[in-house]
Amino acid sequence: MNTVWALAGVVIKELYRRKDFYVLFVLTAVMTLLMGSITFFNDPRIASYLKDICLLLIWISALVIAITTTARQIPAERENRTIFPLLAKPVTRGQVVAGKFLGCWLASGIALGVFYLFFGVVSASREHDLAVIQYLQALWLHWVMLAIVVGLALLGSLVFAAPSSNATICFIVVLGILLLGRHLNQVALQQPEPLRTVVYSIYFLIPHLEWYDIRDLLLYDHPGLRWTDCLLATLYAGVYTAMLLLGAWLLFRRKPLHA
Amino acid sequence: MNRPVRHSLLLLLLASACFTLATLLQPRVATWGQRHAADSLMKVVLGDGRRLFANHFFVQADVTFHSGYYPSIFDRDQAPKGTRHLTASPEDHAEHDPDPASPGREKDEDHSGHACEMSFLGPPRDWIEAFGRRFMVTEHTHLKGGKEREMLPWLKISAELDPQRVETYTVASYWLRNLGKFQEAERFLREGLRNNPKSYEILFELGRLYNENLQDPNRARNVWELGVRCWDERESKKDKPDLLALDELTVHLADLEEKAGNLARAIEWLQRALRASPRPEAVQERIEDLQRRLAAGGSRPSP
Amino acid sequence: MWQRLCLCQVKGFVLAGRWQYAAPQNNTESGSKNMEVILETRDLRVEYRAQNGQGKKVAVKGLNLKVHAGEVFGFLGPNGAGKTTTMNVLLGFVHATAGDAYLFGVSVREPIARQRIGYLPELTYYYKFLTAEELLRFYARLFGIPRAEADRRIDQLLRLVELEAARKRPIKTYSKGMQQRVGLAQALINDPDLLILDEPTSGLDPLGRMKVREIIQRLKNEGKTVFFSSHELGEVETVCDRVAIINQGELKVEDRVSALVEKHQANLEQIFLSLIGYQAEVTA
């Protein structure tokens, strides 16, 4: 486990030493504050539009950070040839996959924490109130969802040669699931056989990332989720991530490396 | 001449060339299009493409009004078609809207239509859908208690993106009036009128603001009469004119005149409304009532 | 006998704790040490699927090598001879098609076999956002070296590779020579008993080469085993005790440098060219 943590540590250092995170955070902050500086119809109490925009920017930024950070990990190790001194140490390929996953997930979590802190400050400063339970649930589920996204990008980095193509495909898949995943069963029912079965199978196979988007509950002061539902969603993400990591490990294990 | 001086001179030369070219090109560029001269940043950046986004933000206002409970494009395909909730004034609007002149029939239809449209979530088809619903808003509610203000920014943005979309101004004004923001409502409607000078819809809304909220029936009368003229100008020659708008304008004018004691004028407006109203018999009854009062010598303002 | 001894040592490492094993503990058995086989390949065969998808390419054909403790062993061959493939097998990057390879008597398929080795690859661009100190600390963690011990070794190694002044600077600011030296430091972080160096002086200026040579010499004096590939035959002749020359995946010769020079009455470069068939072509 020490090896996995060591590998994760390098990924986290990479996140805070590269400019990506800062650029995205500043961009989010500037856009939110810019929107916040506008007073619509002389009513300073209006807040949900600002929270909505801020959360949307956080979602986009978190996906960009998680996918781009993960997509470049193993290809960069190969391109810079650091994979060779790494695997020449008593490190297994499984540990590399686990370490990279843990690093990317924790790094995304740290970034997410900073973003949500900013959101909390914006929200509290406008409304002088914060639905703490919904806020924590939204943060937790968002982070849990990123575990699946990181797993997906890690698997993709072993399938696709270029990190850019992997990142693009991951973005399309993740956004596709977030926007359409919930409705695939409806789409399936409108199709003739055998397309119906194919679409329905896809619906059952894809990770349902849309569950983890509870922005509406947070924005419109709906009651929080039941903790058992949170737990079940976490379990689902855990199982799905484990499956993706297993796939990544199996692929990486078979991949010959030529120094 | 040493190298830095040479480089500086070269830089100066290039800057002079840029400046000269700019002065030469400026008058020509002005004839290429109007985008650069646009008064809003959105127009400069997005051009006419901004109109595409305007609808999104208008819908976003509706989503906010329903606290996130809103049909997706897939749900809307299956849901029965109805008039847009924000502009159709269903049950929640009725709570705020004491307007006696609003035709009740539309309200009832919209109410049931809206409820039907918004019951887009049928029973879950599978466990994924059933579990997924625990993470989304599944209750049909409307903002209330002043929280309606939360949808106003979206309407403002929508209007910025598409200033020719009249609906945005009327809906925003409706809610601004309900929230007691009369000055803001007037300013926004005036802005809409500048962008849509012949809009009888905006004029109608402006008249309501003057009449109902600012207690200025004279300005309301002027605005509504202008509205009727605009309607005549724009709609009278059409095969399918917007009769509902004419009905609203004329009925409101009739009410105004009746309150002012100008019964003859009120009858005139109602006779105009007779041709536009979906319930002419009700209008006819009112005309007859007014005629009776007029015959009885009652040109005093109604209580 | 030697194999059993080495296996016991590996087990000893497991029992004694990971980092302790790297200490130069073999001095007590110096009598048998020179006979101890540190690296061995037995009938090693590596086949690749040809890039055009037709048939197979044999990169290494039944290679048998033995490197003893305390030796500096030069592994020579022209480009495409199979040197790197052999190293890849030794490091576990590529699996052998047939035969096997052992480090300290443990099959290279076991990650534990790499606990006591240090590897310097050719042209590696280390994590450029890390400083030399952080990089070495990261590799030390992979070996499970405790922090205090890691700090001591990092100081020692940075002094050895003359990067003390630049230890807090990000690697992205390093010159090529400095990167190669930090690479050498990472290869030594676990105080390895066997060093595998792939073209260690590649791309370095004469001063850089001299420094690397000095370090190898120093390691040799400390009793370390060094297995390295190089194209610099003069350098090999200066540093190595024994050499192996391979061509087209086959071992052509394996002997002491002095013995080869004596036997062929020529310098190492001429012997090398002769063995790979270059001379024959010229004369033909």
Side-chain angles (χ1 to χ4, degrees), chain B:
Chain B
M1 212 186 304
N2 62 14
R3 186 173 285 192
V5 175
R6 267 210 316 270
H7 287 171
S8 304
L9 280 175
L10 186 66
L11 208 65
L12 205 67
L13 189 72
L14 285 171
S16 313
C18 284
F19 180 75
T20 315
L21 279 171
T23 50
L24 283 172
L25 285 170
Q26 176 56 29
R28 289 160 206 259
V29 171
T31 62
W32 292 351
Q34 291 303 309
R35 182 189 281 211
H36 65 284
D39 49 354
S40 95
L41 181 69
M42 300 273 198
K43 202 169 178 181
V44 175
V45 176
L46 298 169
D48 276 347
R50 72 196 188 285
R51 289 176 208 277
L52 292 171
F53 297 99
N55 187 51
H56 168 78
F57 287 107
F58 191 85
V59 170
Q60 187 58 40
D62 209 359
V63 174
T64 305
F65 182 55
H66 288 95
S67 300
Y69 179 79
Y70 208 74
S72 69
I73 48 165
F74 299 99
D75 300 314
R76 264 179 278 174
D77 282 347
Q78 290 182 346
K81 301 283 178 292
T83 46
R84 180 165 272 135
H85 175 62
L86 271 174
T87 51
S89 318
E91 77 278 13
D92 249 32
H93 296 220
E95 283 172 21
H96 303 284
D97 190 352
D99 180 12
S102 290
R105 194 183 60 85
E106 280 89 32
K107 248 186 196 173
D108 293 339
E109 271 187 4
D110 281 334
H111 180 89
S112 58
H114 174 70
C116 197
E117 193 180 54
M118 295 306 282
S119 63
F120 55 88
L121 284 179
R125 297 168 189 84
D126 44 67
W127 71 268
I128 288 180
E129 196 177 332
F131 186 60
R133 283 190 190 178
R134 298 179 191 186
F135 300 86
M136 57 190 267
V137 184
T138 49
E139 201 184 345
H140 183 191
T141 56
H142 292 161
L143 292 179
K144 55 186 175 188
K147 285 270 183 186
E148 298 93 329
R149 62 175 175 265
E150 298 294 352
M151 64 178 150
L152 294 174
W154 302 122
L155 295 171
K156 175 73 178 163
I157 295 169
S158 178
E160 283 287 325
L161 289 168
D162 187 0
Q164 271 70 52
R165 191 188 173 113
V166 169
E167 211 177 8
T168 316
Y169 298 102
T170 55
V171 170
S173 156
Y174 176 87
W175 287 110
L176 283 167
R177 288 197 295 117
N178 277 319
L179 291 164
K181 293 184 165 292
F182 308 132
Q183 301 303 324
E184 287 79 7
E186 185 184 5
R187 212 170 296 138
F188 196 51
L189 285 171
R190 290 275 172 204
E191 183 189 317
L193 211 53
R194 273 196 299 281
N195 294 320
N196 308 276
K198 301 278 180 193
S199 170
Y200 51 84
E201 300 96 327
I202 294 175
L203 286 166
F204 172 68
E205 200 60 35
L206 197 59
R208 286 184 75 177
L209 173 74
Y210 289 139
N211 189 41
E212 294 162 24
N213 306 109
L214 300 176
Q215 318 304 331
D216 190 348
N218 291 333
R219 288 181 82 182
R221 180 186 294 111
N222 292 341
V223 167
W224 278 334
E225 283 179 358
L226 179 64
V228 174
R229 284 200 294 279
C230 288
W231 189 93
D232 287 337
E233 209 173 300
R234 276 176 55 194
E235 297 289 318
S236 58
K237 284 170 192 152
K238 284 186 182 169
D239 292 338
K240 283 185 178 173
D242 182 4
L243 292 174
L244 189 65
L246 180 66
D247 177 49
E248 283 182 326
L249 276 165
T250 49
V251 168
H252 276 79
L253 273 166
D255 286 340
L256 192 73
E257 297 297 359
E258 188 189 345
K259 275 184 190 163
N262 305 324
L263 296 185
R265 190 78 181 125
I267 291 166
E268 274 175 42
W269 285 122
L270 283 173
Q271 276 166 343
R272 185 95 202 259
L274 199 59
R275 292 191 291 274
S277 174
R279 295 177 66 192
E281 63 282 1
V283 179
Q284 184 59 46
E285 268 177 39
R286 269 194 77 191
I287 291 172
E288 285 165 10
D289 178 48
L290 286 175
Q291 280 171 341
R292 270 197 301 278
R293 280 166 58 192
L294 188 64
S299 62
R300 66 192 180 282
S302 60

Side-chain angles (χ1 to χ4, degrees), chain A residues 17 77 81 87 89-90, chain C residues 114-115 122 127 134 186:
Chain A
R17 295 217 171 136
E77 290 273 0
R81 302 166 60 85
L87 289 178
K89 309 276 184 282
Chain C
R114 297 189 284 280
Q115 180 72 20
E122 190 190 359
Y127 308 102
E134 286 169 339
Q186 68 78 25

Side-chain angles (χ1 to χ4, degrees), chain A residues 35 40-43 45-50 52-53 127 141 179-180 182-183 185-187 189-190 200 203-206 208 210-214 216-217 220-222 225-226 228-230 232-233 236, chain B residues 60 63-69 72-75 77-78 125-129 131-137 139 141 143 146-147 149-157 172 176 179 181 184-185 187-188:
Chain A
M35 289 305 290
F40 291 95
F41 303 110
N42 295 323
D43 196 337
R45 289 168 302 170
I46 297 175
S48 82
Y49 84 97
L50 194 63
D52 201 351
I53 289 169
E127 292 185 321
L141 289 177
L179 295 172
L180 304 173
R182 180 172 284 156
H183 310 289
N185 57 346
Q186 267 171 279
V187 175
L189 291 172
Q190 289 160 14
Y200 230 116
Y203 171 75
F204 277 108
L205 283 174
I206 56 166
H208 284 273
E210 74 277 2
W211 293 347
Y212 302 87
D213 179 5
I214 57 163
D216 284 344
L217 300 183
Y220 305 114
D221 301 329
H222 288 283
L225 295 172
R226 281 190 304 189
T228 45
D229 293 337
C230 258
L232 283 171
Y236 175 83
Chain B
Q60 187 58 40
V63 174
T64 305
F65 182 55
H66 288 95
S67 300
Y69 179 79
S72 69
I73 48 165
F74 299 99
D75 300 314
D77 282 347
Q78 290 182 346
R125 297 168 189 84
D126 44 67
W127 71 268
I128 288 180
E129 196 177 332
F131 186 60
R133 283 190 190 178
R134 298 179 191 186
F135 300 86
M136 57 190 267
V137 184
E139 201 184 345
T141 56
L143 292 179
K147 285 270 183 186
R149 62 175 175 265
E150 298 294 352
M151 64 178 150
L152 294 174
W154 302 122
L155 295 171
K156 175 73 178 163
I157 295 169
L176 283 167
L179 291 164
K181 293 184 165 292
E184 287 79 7
R187 212 170 296 138
F188 196 51

Side-chain angles (χ1 to χ4, degrees), chain A residues 127-156:
Chain A
E127 292 185 321
H128 309 292
D129 183 30
L130 186 68
V132 180
I133 299 289
Q134 291 92 318
Y135 174 80
L136 291 176
Q137 284 179 339
L139 171 62
W140 172 253
L141 289 177
H142 195 168
W143 190 36
V144 164
M145 185 217 68
L146 287 181
I148 303 179
V149 174
V150 167
L152 197 69
L154 203 59
L155 178 67

